[in-house]
Amino acid sequence: MAEWLLSASWQRRAKAMTAAAGSAGRAAVPLLLCALLAPGGAYVLDDSDGLGREFDGIGAVSGGGATSRLLVNYPEPYRSQILDYLFKPNFGASLHILKVEIGGDGQTTDGTEPSHMHYALDENYFRGYEWWLMKEAKKRNPNITLIGLPWSFPGWLGKGFDWPYVNLQLTAYYVVTWIVGAKRYHDLDIDYIGIWNERSYNANYIKILRKMLNYQGLQRVKIIASDNLWESISASMLLDAELFKVVDVIGAHYPGTHSAKDAKLTGKKLWSSEDFSTLNSDMGAGCWGRILNQNYINGYMTSTIAWNLVASYYEQLPYGRCGLMTAQEPWSGHYVVESPVWVSAHTTQFTQPGWYYLKTVGHLEKGGSYVALTDGLGNLTIIIETMSHKHSKCIRPFLPYFNVSQQFATFVLKGSFSEIPELQLLDSDGSFTLSLHEDELFTLTTLTTGRKGSYPLPPKSQPFPSTYKDDFNVDYPFFSEAPNFADQTGVFEYFTNIEDPGEHHFTLRQVLNQRPITWAADASNTISIIGDYNWTNLTIKCDVYIETPDTGGVFIAGRVNKGGILIRSARGIFFWIFANGSYRVTGDLAGWIIYALGRVEVTAKKWYTLTLTIKGHFTSGMLNDKSLWTDIPVNFPKNGWAAIGTHSFEFAQFDNFLVEATR
């Protein structure tokens, strides 16, 4: 016989804290089946008048961009443990949905993700790590829903314009090849496909995309649009019967728990297709707990998807630690299972896509909210949150003030739920009363499967190694990118020089020679960062190879102080050499702040060794171990990452990278 349970797994002030939703909660606090004659609101949970909308699941985004970059470098068993906390059913976050970026070579928040087609005749379905991540998610939860969405696009689709809708058929073809490639090379079935993240949609493109999907036998792949605001797409759908027909889900970002009138008038599924985006502190957990309930109560949204899945990128990049958990130290193996994981579990471990919300859900009299879902087979799950305004603000949008205070809430079960055998334990009127305080989250459920998964504590946090080297000598790399390098503009991939059997047979190559169709403000130069943001005094040494005659150029850099969507304005100390026989030392990536310049014997198609030393307020540099300039004064920035890159979107190679640093 199913057992009614109360889990008070996550309470901000640990007033009656048990470890997690599920078995840990059961062991500590059996259901308080009490019919207290206490003052407070009474809330009826009833299916007599039918059910509400179908629940589509809770998920998270990997991408937008490069947010899972460091995860792939984690040693085992820690990498698998992190994946279990995210995807394994009845263990941790137990996510129902994984949404990934369709890499487009452009900067999309915290880095670039490589496209499967850098060029028109180039196809490679093993670049990046999203394929791997989807397979790992499927391995743990075969029923997980997979979504693909472009942020940026490779430049060739724009035919000279920074716009993906120049040739609608070509862009649709590009997206469909990604879906076909996922199945052909990785046996992954993509369930939903998006249009263009938080940018313009084109109604004709959406229609063409649907036709091309159908032509490829991909009728099962559904279209979600437009991953921006409610208003424009929903109004267009109401006026355009064909567009209405081909859009399966209306997805909006950061809706503040409310949906627009036109969106509701369509009768389509409504999703918060990107939300949260908040520091994974207790306040972030409060934000997540509140919107998971209220997105449905206020806006009829049947899915909420967090940006982002796991904070696995350098913390000083934009929106650091805005993941459900934190895993940003592959060199140490350290990770943190943050409180949003357990907030997720309150819903994900006790519901499944295909369940239905009850119509009788809503707000509590003295603040907070409750939802109830059923599988239609007799199971019922109730999630109650009393998150305060102070402790549940999301990063966006603005949250109007509300008050939450201590209260008693009496829940009355009616309809088919009165037939649940356990109700014999309740008061004769089929009710039970809870004492609720602010900043609490409760799950009551007939299910007995949930539990708080756990592993031994991971290794302690350690800074990035002060001495780090990589010769890129990997014959058959499992991932296309070298460990710990985080591309910020451009794409740097392992490369094999078939014409060079010697020291530089295996290198790291910047592989873009045209600017992508941008989502953010990509720099005019390509750059990949690495290391410890707190590095102050360091020596960087690297072999470099310019491939473009006359106009080509490369650099190594230290104390780089910005990345992500801010990369264009990055400051640091940049040591450049150019194929035209010149060198330059600048204080910024854009090259406006010039510390030194001069002539040097450099040409394309030859290897050179650059050395950059930064100590205190001075810097010096060497070319092929011969001093080129010394003791140039530099006062800003005081610290930052190391980096490599090119002068423009051009082919260039790097080898034997070495950093020796002190703070």
Side-chain angles (χ1 to χ4, degrees), residues 219-409:
Q219 289 85 355
R220 64 175 296 279
V221 179
K222 297 178 180 179
I223 291 178
I224 180 168
S226 67
D227 284 294
N228 200 346
L229 304 176
W230 297 115
E231 286 79 3
S232 181
I233 186 67
S234 52
S236 296
M237 289 169 62
L238 291 172
L239 295 171
D240 185 334
E242 186 182 354
L243 181 64
F244 180 91
K245 183 179 178 181
V246 301
V247 174
D248 299 283
V249 175
I250 303 177
H253 287 193
Y254 308 98
T257 76
H258 293 275
S259 52
K261 180 181 177 181
D262 281 350
K264 286 180 273 195
L265 282 174
T266 65
K268 294 283 188 176
K269 287 179 176 288
L270 307 180
W271 288 6
S272 178
S273 54
E274 186 178 311
D275 219 323
F276 181 62
S277 195
T278 300
L279 184 70
N280 56 26
S281 60
D282 278 352
M283 182 182 290
C287 153
W288 188 228
R290 176 176 56 80
I291 65 177
L292 284 182
N293 267 20
Q294 296 195 28
N295 275 350
Y296 182 75
I297 294 166
N298 299 336
Y300 297 107
M301 287 166 262
T302 54
S303 177
T304 298
I305 301 174
W307 187 89
N308 58 70
L309 173 72
V310 52
S312 213
Y313 46 102
Y314 291 115
E315 186 168 341
Q316 295 82 4
L317 288 168
Y319 305 102
R321 275 188 54 204
C322 283
L324 297 181
M325 64 182 290
T326 303
Q328 56 194 24
E329 291 186 20
W331 47 87
S332 72
H334 179 74
Y335 64 85
V336 184
V337 185
E338 310 281 7
S339 46
V341 166
W342 305 119
V343 169
S344 303
H346 270 276
T347 298
T348 57
Q349 290 201 22
F350 305 104
T351 61
Q352 287 297 325
W355 284 42
Y356 280 83
Y357 285 98
L358 271 58
K359 289 182 179 178
T360 49
V361 300
H363 294 273
L364 299 170
E365 187 177 278
K366 294 186 178 180
S369 67
Y370 65 97
V371 294
L373 301 96
T374 181
D375 63 355
L377 302 174
N379 284 308
L380 178 68
T381 291
I382 307 161
I383 304 118
I384 304 162
E385 61 83 19
T386 57
M387 301 304 161
S388 66
H389 183 274
K390 181 179 180 181
H391 293 134
S392 72
K393 286 184 280 191
C394 304
I395 197 170
R396 65 176 77 85
F398 171 77
L399 181 62
Y401 182 76
F402 59 86
N403 187 56
V404 177
S405 57
Q406 184 177 353
Q407 60 193 301
F408 290 96

Side-chain angles (χ1 to χ4, degrees), residues 104-216:
D105 294 337
Q107 168 61 246
T108 55
T109 299
D110 290 296
T112 67
E113 298 202 26
S115 170
H116 62 288
M117 294 180 71
H118 292 319
Y119 307 101
L121 300 178
D122 160 68
E123 291 186 54
N124 185 324
Y125 298 91
F126 296 91
R127 293 189 182 118
Y129 41 83
E130 302 295 5
W131 314 104
W132 166 83
L133 185 61
M134 287 189 283
K135 287 189 288 187
E136 292 294 323
K138 276 282 187 183
K139 188 187 300 182
R140 288 159 175 81
N141 177 6
N143 297 319
I144 198 166
T145 297
L146 298 178
I147 305 174
L149 175 65
W151 268 251
S152 66
F153 295 84
W156 61 273
L157 287 172
K159 298 188 178 298
F161 296 93
D162 194 28
W163 190 244
Y165 304 129
V166 174
N167 184 321
L168 303 182
Q169 287 81 4
L170 194 61
T171 298
Y173 167 78
Y174 166 80
V175 170
V176 171
T177 60
W178 184 86
I179 299 171
V180 172
K183 180 64 175 178
R184 180 175 298 164
Y185 295 98
H186 302 286
D187 197 27
L188 292 168
D189 291 306
I190 304 302
D191 298 291
Y192 291 86
I193 196 71
I195 308 306
W196 189 13
N197 184 78
E198 294 176 359
R199 298 294 182 264
S200 300
Y201 67 90
N202 179 296
N204 289 329
Y205 166 74
I206 298 173
K207 297 170 189 176
I208 288 170
L209 178 62
R210 178 73 270 165
K211 290 177 181 176
M212 196 169 292
L213 287 167
N214 293 347
Y215 180 76
Q216 290 291 333

